[in-house]
Amino acid sequence: MANSNYEYVKSFEVEDRLMPSTWIVVRIDGCHFHRFSEDHEFDKPNDERALNLMNSCAMAMLEEFPDIVFAYGVSDEYSFILKKTSQLYERRASKILSLTVSFFSSVYGFMWKEFFPNKKLKYPPYFDGRVVCYPSAKILQDYLAWRQVDCHINNQYNTCFWALVKSGKSKMEAHNLLKGTQTQEKNELLFQQFSINYNTLPAMFRKGSCVFKDKQTSVQEVSLVLDPLTTGKGRRYCEVQRGW
Ligand code: GTP
Ligand code: MG
């Protein structure tokens, strides 16, 4: 009874249920990972250990939250797709977002040693997140294509940039050389100057990673729009079926 005078404060809480019958996408992104990757001496432009750590966190997410049917990751970000019918925490946005981001961040720190056995974690890594609902498979496909185009553009630029820097150019020179160049010119530069065939670089670097469970029907629905490239242990690298 003593509490009843104060219960009115609950009326200030806002309703934040996500739209029903839509794909829920949670995108998690490392906070200040530019600095974090420098401080922990990640390989440039891609650190396989760091990417595999992100992939393992994503796998742990699929185990912890069974409504996640598909996940796509690149660099310091990962997108998680929850099935349309999900009733996870009654679809309350703040619950879903806070719990998934918190879980992912914890697992990242928890598994760090497994991927960087000789590197001390200097400070706690943390992630931000956002949640968006998509009403159709087409829009969901476009969402994933958007993230994958970003992966391609950044990776191709970074591959050229670091090849130039490692060959003795200053960062400013490398930046100026690449300014305004198109995809084909970057591929030529890599091939002519560094004998690198961009298309043969690891798919995980060029296209990102994805994680999904095989046996759920809802997963198959999503995988229709995706083309898994290679199969690993419960993990696949994929290509969104859409050119850029
Ligand atoms: P906020 O997300 O806004 O906090 O910024 P951020 O510093 O995390 O940068 P952003 O998310 O835009 O980009 C991720 C950054 O992480 C990249 O720019 C890189 O500096 C770094 N990063 C991610 N993956 C790797 C990697 O495999 N190797 C290296 N060297 N750096 C990486
Ligand atoms: Mg980031």
Side-chain angles (χ1 to χ4, degrees):
M1 275 299 141
N3 269 342
S4 58
N5 282 346
Y6 305 111
E7 264 182 30
Y8 79 95
V9 296
K10 283 184 80 174
S11 67
F12 286 81
E13 290 179 14
V14 290
E15 177 74 46
D16 67 346
R17 267 177 237 271
L18 294 164
M19 215 181 297
S21 305
T22 51
W23 306 100
I24 299 171
V25 176
V26 175
R27 184 166 78 252
I28 290 172
D29 186 292
C31 277
H32 310 311
F33 260 49
H34 183 70
R35 195 184 67 207
F36 182 84
S37 60
E38 291 283 338
D39 291 345
H40 293 86
E41 297 163 313
F42 282 10
D43 294 338
K44 296 171 196 302
N46 290 290
D47 190 307
E48 217 169 318
R49 301 160 299 177
L51 294 173
N52 283 328
L53 171 55
M54 291 289 289
N55 290 339
S56 286
C57 293
M59 288 167 82
M61 288 276 284
L62 263 75
E63 273 155 31
E64 185 69 20
F65 303 102
D67 282 0
I68 298 175
V69 292
F70 188 85
Y72 174 73
V74 37
S75 181
D76 68 337
E77 72 167 60
Y78 237 105
S79 296
F80 296 93
I81 300 172
L82 280 75
K83 61 184 181 186
K84 272 182 164 179
T85 53
S86 177
Q87 288 305 319
L88 186 64
Y89 299 107
E90 298 163 314
R91 296 177 79 90
R92 281 148 65 203
S94 51
K95 270 276 190 187
I96 291 174
L97 192 57
S98 58
L99 283 163
T100 49
V101 173
S102 151
F103 183 78
F104 191 97
S105 299
S106 288
V107 176
Y108 193 97
F110 189 69
M111 296 183 91
W112 173 264
K113 257 206 201 120
E114 207 177 296
F115 293 86
F116 292 94
N118 303 316
K119 214 170 271 297
K120 193 172 178 292
L121 194 52
K122 294 183 176 169
Y123 48 83
Y126 60 107
F127 294 78
D128 67 31
R130 70 198 65 200
V131 58
V132 183
C133 292
Y134 293 107
S136 70
K138 163 77 172 71
I139 301 175
L140 188 61
Q141 180 185 4
D142 285 348
Y143 169 80
L144 290 167
W146 173 53
R147 296 324 304 143
Q148 201 178 42
V149 169
D150 217 49
C151 168
H152 167 70
I153 291 169
N154 288 335
N155 187 60
Q156 201 191 31
Y157 180 90
N158 290 337
T159 305
C160 294
F161 181 84
W162 288 109
L164 287 165
V165 171
K166 283 173 189 173
S167 76
K169 296 269 186 278
S170 72
K171 287 183 180 174
M172 186 54 81
E173 284 170 333
H175 175 73
N176 287 335
L177 276 167
L178 293 170
K179 211 152 75 186
T181 53
Q182 301 298 309
T183 288
Q184 200 47 39
E185 292 166 271
K186 291 198 193 72
N187 277 348
E188 284 299 318
L189 180 145
L190 284 174
F191 197 68
Q192 301 297 341
Q193 291 194 34
F194 305 106
S195 306
I196 295 173
N197 180 348
Y198 184 77
N199 293 321
T200 61
L201 292 177
M204 180 166 70
F205 298 172
R206 290 181 293 114
K207 296 164 190 269
S209 306
C210 70
V211 180
F212 58 91
K213 284 180 194 157
D214 280 318
K215 285 182 185 156
Q216 291 180 357
T217 8
S218 43
V219 175
Q220 285 166 17
E221 203 177 330
V222 180
S223 62
L224 285 178
V225 299
L226 298 155
D227 172 34
L229 290 181
T230 52
T231 312
K233 265 190 189 160
R235 178 186 311 160
R236 293 181 180 189
Y237 304 114
C238 73
E239 177 176 26
V240 177
Q241 288 265 290
R242 198 161 181 279
W244 40 67

